[in-house]
Amino acid sequence: MNPEDPRARRTRARLRSAVLTLAAEHEFGSITMSAVARRAEVNRATVYLHYPDLDSLVTDAMDDTIGHVARAAALCPLDSPRDHAPEPLVTLFGHVAAHATLFERMLDAQGSARFAARLRERLTAELAGRFARGTRPGGYADVPPEVHAAYLAGALTGVVAHWVTGGRRAPAEEIALAFWRLFRS
């Protein structure tokens, strides 16, 4: 199978759409490849031709969302005052809020470990890239930039997971400010 074939691209798009629709309707742990195949109106074997497992499929389906979150994190000006969350950080949490059900289902105890790892990896890569361009906060010269980026990515992933799975969901602006205050400490 040629992954660049237009038919293969259309099939993968249908599969991604199907799994996201199912994830919005059901807990991630209850979704099966058969259900995805039915929703996408393809044979179950076709699903396996494109994706080895559900984690791979959902991670691919959420890749644009992961990228949006990672890019927003990398845009945060690091010199904003402690009591004013930078707009890109508010935008990041607003994007997560707009997709809260999917993030909740992907990051809860029954969710996708691959999704959580991919989110953390993309955040780390975006932040490490930013640090490599010389836009790293001061006072951390004794910490390797990639370790610093991984630390922040893990913290941000943890806060997002706690926020979307913790029951009462504070407004995006409030959680962005809480994260920013921790970051600026």
Side-chain angles (χ1 to χ4, degrees), residues 150-175:
Y151 170 78
L152 291 175
L156 184 54
T157 302
V159 169
V160 167
H162 175 76
W163 181 49
V164 297
T165 64
R168 181 196 161 272
R169 197 171 294 138
E173 298 80 11
E174 186 178 317
I175 197 70

Side-chain angles (χ1 to χ4, degrees), residues 3-56:
E4 296 310 312
D5 180 284
R7 290 171 296 176
R9 286 197 313 259
R10 283 192 302 271
T11 299
R12 283 194 309 275
R14 287 173 64 187
L15 294 170
R16 288 188 300 264
S17 176
V19 77
L20 291 178
T21 300
L22 288 168
E25 296 170 355
H26 307 284
E27 296 296 324
F28 182 70
S30 70
I31 300 170
T32 65
M33 292 295 251
S34 294
V36 172
R38 278 191 303 277
R39 182 63 61 106
E41 298 178 343
V42 299
N43 185 301
R44 195 176 102 180
T46 301
V47 180
Y48 286 104
L49 282 174
H50 294 274
Y51 297 99
D53 54 43
L54 193 59
D55 264 351
S56 297

